[in-house]
Amino acid sequence: DQQVKQNSPSLSVQEGRISILNCDYTNSMFDYFLWYKKYPAEGPTFLISISSIKDKNEDGRFTVFLNKSAKHLSLHIVPSQPGDSAVYFCAASSLIQGAQKLVFGQGTRLTINP
Amino acid sequence: ETGVTQSPTHLIKTRGQQVTLRCSSQSGHNTVSWYQQALGQGPQFIFQYYREEENGRGNFPPRFSGLQFPNYSSELNVNALELDDSALYLCASRVANTGELFFGEGSRLTVL
């Protein structure tokens, strides 16, 4: 039961253009969403988050949009830079037995072409 | 730099053996979680410890167990290793009731 889905395993974008990564979820109890970035041989690094009471959160080149009715969130990176090439995971937060658990998508490999 | 360090970075075990993976969290991070990331998949929640007690577990059997110590370090123990336990094991810590998890670089376990 994949509660968080990233349907695009990979995405290739030209440097300077906008990168849009998408994520869908099924559990309406999720109330906090995060994006993580992962380079090879490193652990995931927190990028940006959004609470379910908001529909947009912006941090520099990164903006996350949340559409609760569609159970969909997206990460926009503009302008894209070569250093943005990595695997991006979206994650949703839920409580299990009082503990916060993150449910991750499968990841999208973003490649920024010069 | 997340302030979360894990050891060992890589290890190889054989089926049936036991393994202990270690994690050192940032000072003040009283909540630690462990995740398993299989190849090509996102991390999956194993369990969480808060103040040295397990307070949440994902869909993993009891042969996966853990410990959390007062000095912000923790361990993940896996008994009776199976081939499917081959994965990257990630430790993540945070201050309780805050959203962001800080991940270590992971321990890659290969079971032969």
Side-chain angles (χ1 to χ4, degrees):
Chain A
D1 176 25
Q2 191 69 30
Q3 296 186 63
V4 177
K5 289 184 182 178
Q6 294 175 255
N7 291 317
S8 298
S10 62
L11 176 67
S12 188
V13 174
Q14 194 170 0
E15 182 179 0
R17 298 289 189 102
I18 183 171
S19 295
I20 300 176
L21 296 100
N22 294 303
C23 179
D24 297 296
Y25 62 95
T26 57
N27 189 340
S28 57
M29 297 300 291
F30 290 144
D31 60 1
Y32 189 67
F33 303 89
L34 308 91
W35 283 93
Y36 280 84
K37 174 178 171 180
K38 188 178 186 301
Y39 293 117
E42 293 185 12
T45 303
F46 171 75
L47 204 53
I48 192 168
S49 63
I50 187 167
S51 163
S52 60
I53 62 173
K54 293 186 171 182
D55 55 18
K56 177 183 174 181
N57 189 24
E58 192 172 352
D59 183 3
R61 297 186 298 114
F62 303 92
T63 303
V64 56
F65 295 92
L66 176 62
N67 182 333
K68 281 178 293 189
S69 60
K71 294 191 176 68
H72 176 83
L73 65 155
S74 61
L75 173 69
H76 292 210
I77 306 173
V78 57
S80 300
Q81 299 174 353
D84 296 330
S85 296
V87 178
Y88 289 78
F89 292 97
C90 73
S93 174
S94 71
L95 284 180
I96 177 170
Q97 303 160 8
Q100 184 206 35
K101 159 189 171 183
L102 291 187
V103 181
F104 285 85
Q106 307 96 309
T108 297
R109 181 177 299 279
L110 175 65
T111 302
I112 305 301
N113 302 308
Chain B
E1 179 61 50
T2 63
V4 180
T5 57
Q6 292 186 241
S7 63
T9 54
H10 296 81
L11 72 166
I12 299 173
K13 292 283 189 178
T14 56
R15 197 169 47 181
Q17 284 189 310
Q18 179 266 344
V19 69
T20 297
L21 307 177
R22 294 181 171 83
C23 175
S24 177
S25 306
Q26 288 188 37
S27 177
H29 282 200
N30 52 13
T31 300
V32 66
S33 307
W34 285 88
Y35 286 77
Q36 180 196 66
Q37 186 179 7
L39 203 60
Q41 301 294 319
Q44 284 203 309
F45 177 76
I46 302 175
F47 45 54
Q48 176 177 289
Y49 277 76
Y50 172 65
R51 291 187 175 176
E52 300 161 48
E53 290 200 8
E54 182 183 303
N55 71 336
R57 172 176 280 264
N59 191 24
F60 282 81
R63 59 189 184 84
F64 285 77
S65 64
L67 287 170
Q68 183 187 25
F69 304 101
N71 65 351
Y72 304 110
S73 66
S74 60
E75 289 180 356
L76 165 65
N77 298 290
V78 187
N79 293 323
L81 284 168
E82 300 176 0
L83 298 180
D84 285 349
D85 295 333
S86 295
L88 180 69
Y89 288 86
L90 295 161
C91 168
S93 70
R94 63 184 175 96
V95 176
N97 300 321
T98 61
E100 180 185 341
L101 274 178
F102 295 86
F103 282 87
E105 295 184 355
S107 294
R108 184 163 296 283
L109 171 65
T110 302
V111 182
L112 302 177

